[in-house]
């Protein structure tokens, strides 16, 4: 299917924002890379700021749809459902690694845009992750412990590879967009869930290595 001019602008913009930053990228840069008339950026997005916000919104809407899709599926255990959510989010970010890095980096700033996005999208993500952890505790699969700290740790594992890909590539020679990385990383995530979340019955970790529950 032929790429539309609007899609070309979005693709050009995310690549330039990734390499040059928002301030270092001009509307003309985007138009030149997309090979379109510069006026089309304003026509479709109202300018560079609107284009940036569109990229952020598209990414976060897709991110939430990934979680929603896994929550609507049936699983034999909450643990397996949680693992599928993490894996699907890792794969989603890998497929859109330029905009993923841009979006996660933007969330480290305090701006009106970030406050709006947090209120609209990240609050929903927080709710969904808390609910699945709470569900695992209710069903006796997960040990009782502070849910907020579990979610903070879990979300950091999900987003860190795509927030700081250069850190991983330069210091550890890890490429987070390669399938082998996702496979290896998910083994680590499964081990973490076994060790820190699951009660012995639902874990493959030896019981003498399991930490005690926190009331």
């Amino acid at each position: 299917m032929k790429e539309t001019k609007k899609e070309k602008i979005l693709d050009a913009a995310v690549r330039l924002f990734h390499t040059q930053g928002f301030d270092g990228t001009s509307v003309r840069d985007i138009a030149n890379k997309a090979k379109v008339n510069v006026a089309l950026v304003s026509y479709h997005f109202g300018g560079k700021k609107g284009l940036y916000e569109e990229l952020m919104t598209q990414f976060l809407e897709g991110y939430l749809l990934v979680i929603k899709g896994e929550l609507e599926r049936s699983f034999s255990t909450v643990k397996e459902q949680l693992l599928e959510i993490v894996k699907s989010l890792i794969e989603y970010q890998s497929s859109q690694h330029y905009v993923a890095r841009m979006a996660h980096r933007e969330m480290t700033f305090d701006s009106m845009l970030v406050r709006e996005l947090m209120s609209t999208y990240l609050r929903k993500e927080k709710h969904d992750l808390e609910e699945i952890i709470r569900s695992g505790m209710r069903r006796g699969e997960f040990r009782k412990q502070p849910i907020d700290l579990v979610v903070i740790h879990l979300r950091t594992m999900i987003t860190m590879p795509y927030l700081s890909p250069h850190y991983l590539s330069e210091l550890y020679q890890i490429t987070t967009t390669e399938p082998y990385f996702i496979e290896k990383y998910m083994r680590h995530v499964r081990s973490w869930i076994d060790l820190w979340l699951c009660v012995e019955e639902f874990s493959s970790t030896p019981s003498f290595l399991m930490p005690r529950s926190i009331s």
Side-chain angles (χ1 to χ4, degrees), residues 20-119:
Q20 300 175 189
F22 179 81
D23 292 333
T25 301
S26 69
V27 171
R28 188 166 296 280
D29 290 336
I30 296 168
N32 287 341
K33 188 169 183 63
K35 295 182 172 57
V36 300
N37 189 298
V38 69
L40 284 178
V41 177
S42 294
Y43 173 77
H44 285 297
F45 305 101
K48 185 174 73 168
K49 184 173 181 289
L51 174 53
Y52 189 81
E53 292 177 359
E54 175 74 11
L55 286 166
M56 294 281 290
T57 299
Q58 281 189 8
F59 173 78
L60 291 171
E61 285 179 348
Y63 188 94
L64 288 183
L65 281 174
V66 169
I67 298 176
K68 183 174 184 287
E70 298 301 339
L71 289 177
E72 291 176 347
R73 293 175 58 198
S74 296
F75 294 88
S76 58
T77 65
V78 179
K79 170 189 168 181
E80 290 306 316
Q81 184 177 44
L82 180 58
L83 282 166
E84 282 302 310
I85 288 174
V86 174
K87 182 181 179 183
S88 295
L89 288 175
I90 293 290
E91 291 174 338
Y92 174 71
Q93 292 173 104
S94 178
S95 70
Q96 302 193 49
H97 56 280
Y98 288 137
V99 69
R101 186 187 183 205
M102 187 188 84
H104 295 323
R105 184 172 55 192
E106 182 68 26
M107 291 302 169
T108 65
F109 304 124
D110 184 11
S111 66
M112 184 61 70
L113 172 61
V114 168
R115 292 176 189 178
E116 290 173 356
L117 293 174
M118 283 192 175
S119 176

Side-chain angles (χ1 to χ4, degrees), residues 5-6 62 79 85 91 115 140 150 169 177 191:
K5 290 182 178 180
K6 183 176 181 180
K79 170 189 168 181
I85 288 174
E91 291 174 338
R115 292 176 189 178
V150 172
S169 63
T177 55
S191 296

Side-chain angles (χ1 to χ4, degrees), residues 144-175:
K144 300 291 185 180
Q145 55 186 304
I147 293 177
D148 54 351
L149 298 183
V150 172
V151 171
I152 289 170
H153 195 156
L154 185 63
R155 189 178 189 278
T156 300
M157 287 197 296
I158 292 170
T159 61
M160 187 275 176
Y162 302 96
L163 169 63
S164 305
H166 290 317
Y167 173 84
L168 295 178
S169 63
E170 290 295 324
L171 297 184
Y172 293 98
Q173 291 75 55
I174 291 174
T175 304

